[in-house]
Amino acid sequence: MSHRVILIVLDGLNHLVGHHAMGYLNALCEAGRGRYYTLDCELPAMSRPLYECLLTGDCPVDSGVVNNDVVRRSHGTSLFDLAARQGKRTAAAAYHWVSELYLEAPFDRTRHRFRQAPDAAIQAGLFYWQNHYPDDHLFSDAEMLRQLNDPDFLLVHSMNIDDTGHRHGGDSPQYRNAARHTDIALSDYLPRWLEAGYQVMVTADHGMNADRSHSGTLEEERRVPLWTLGEAFSLRPVSLIEQGRLCGTLATLMGLDHGKPLQSELLAQEEGVS
């Protein structure tokens, strides 16, 4: 098994809104071209700790990245590290905290916004720092990185849904419409990524509550959506998915040697997978 992978993280999208507002993503599932799941994020339900969980498989209490103010390089082995060390090409269009975790901290807007570093974990990067940086611009950035660098692993991380939730709350028309706008913007790019043969996973780090925040145990804070798109993913139902196992699942899809736990039920081929 060796596939190219795109991981799309829609920051702050809870399951309830993901289930009813993302028309294009759910249309792919209705057409039999993908599968929709849900999972509970790890705690605390905060962004930087859960970027680390998604990309290394390490829960916050183990990684030490336990809140958004822990500004340092990751101590774990990320998907970027695994891929780069095994001869794969990596890229990221993402919020600047991803740069701090896997390249260099603190982030310098002048030196670190654009990265071309063949020997780094993230070999090609375009990073932003404004939470309202438009998602349609971000997806265009990701497509540019894909065309220029032909990555084996590409992270695409958007902030508009989370930003809107913090301003208006998770039970607001503004939050729901932000999700709809992101879904529409994604529909301009997902078809070409799938046509190019990428296996695409779309999920969220955490959700959003009506208090315009997140970090705790409320369902709307913890329950997040997960879409799997591409022929290497199974279409079977899966009863329990762990956020910390998504990293190992994607590493397996990419054919990487690793010792991370994975969610084998998400894969179309389970032979030799544990």
Side-chain angles (χ1 to χ4, degrees):
M1 185 182 295
S2 181
H3 300 276
R4 296 189 299 169
V5 166
I6 295 177
L7 172 62
I8 301 171
V9 179
L10 305 180
D11 205 294
L13 177 63
N14 65 35
H15 150 64
L16 181 62
V17 173
H19 181 64
H20 73 70
M22 312 299 279
Y24 176 71
L25 283 170
N26 289 312
L28 290 173
C29 296
E30 286 193 4
R33 302 174 194 175
R35 181 83 192 195
Y36 179 79
Y37 303 97
T38 66
L39 61 98
D40 286 344
C41 74
E42 296 294 335
L43 292 174
M46 302 177 73
S47 292
R48 196 189 299 250
L50 298 181
Y51 304 163
E52 176 78 337
C53 182
L54 286 167
L55 290 162
T56 68
D58 297 332
C59 298
V61 293
D62 296 323
S63 72
V65 183
V66 292
N67 62 62
N68 289 337
D69 295 326
V70 178
V71 181
R72 61 161 169 79
R73 283 277 278 107
S74 167
H75 295 166
T77 301
S78 71
L79 271 173
F80 297 115
D81 294 309
L82 288 170
R85 291 171 187 172
Q86 297 179 46
K88 305 286 189 180
R89 295 179 298 275
T90 63
Y95 195 59
H96 69 287
W97 290 355
V98 171
S99 174
E100 290 181 329
L101 281 167
Y102 307 111
L103 288 175
E104 186 175 347
F107 182 81
D108 184 290
R109 296 178 182 182
T110 302
R111 295 188 299 115
H112 298 158
R113 173 157 165 74
F114 302 104
R115 297 297 295 258
Q116 286 286 339
D119 297 327
I122 303 176
Q123 297 159 357
L126 200 160
F127 301 101
Y128 62 96
W129 55 90
Q130 295 287 357
N131 292 3
H132 58 269
Y133 185 75
D135 282 356
D136 56 359
H137 288 45
L138 172 74
F139 300 145
S140 177
D141 294 341
E143 175 62 4
M144 179 196 68
L145 289 173
R146 186 187 74 85
Q147 291 187 19
L148 291 177
N149 300 279
D150 193 30
D152 298 290
F153 175 58
L154 170 63
L155 171 68
V156 186
H157 168 239
S158 78
M159 285 291 286
N160 286 179
I161 298 169
D162 181 77
D163 180 57
T164 304
H166 282 300
R167 288 187 285 112
H168 300 282
D171 186 20
S172 68
Q174 293 91 342
Y175 178 75
R176 292 186 288 271
N177 284 331
R180 294 180 179 110
H181 291 318
T182 297
D183 178 74
I184 291 167
L186 261 182
S187 71
D188 288 331
Y189 296 94
L190 266 175
R192 68 184 77 179
W193 296 343
L194 293 168
E195 185 177 355
Y198 282 94
Q199 308 303 302
V200 180
M201 177 179 284
V202 186
T203 191
D205 47 353
H206 55 75
M208 182 68 62
N209 63 36
D211 296 336
R212 296 182 275 183
S213 66
H214 50 82
S215 72
T217 62
L218 291 175
E219 181 176 349
E220 56 266 36
E221 299 174 63
R222 291 197 74 177
R223 186 68 53 83
V224 297
L226 173 71
W227 292 269
T228 56
L229 307 163
E231 71 279 357
F233 286 110
S234 170
L235 296 177
R236 295 185 300 272
V238 180
S239 58
L240 178 63
I241 298 173
E242 297 180 34
Q243 192 174 44
R245 292 179 174 269
L246 298 182
C247 174
T249 303
L250 296 181
T252 298
L253 268 185
M254 295 171 64
L256 300 174
D257 291 330
H258 69 93
K260 297 183 181 293
L262 66 144
Q263 200 85 42
S264 61
E265 309 97 304
L266 293 176
L267 303 177
Q269 300 177 7
E270 294 188 47
E271 294 82 359
V273 175
S274 61

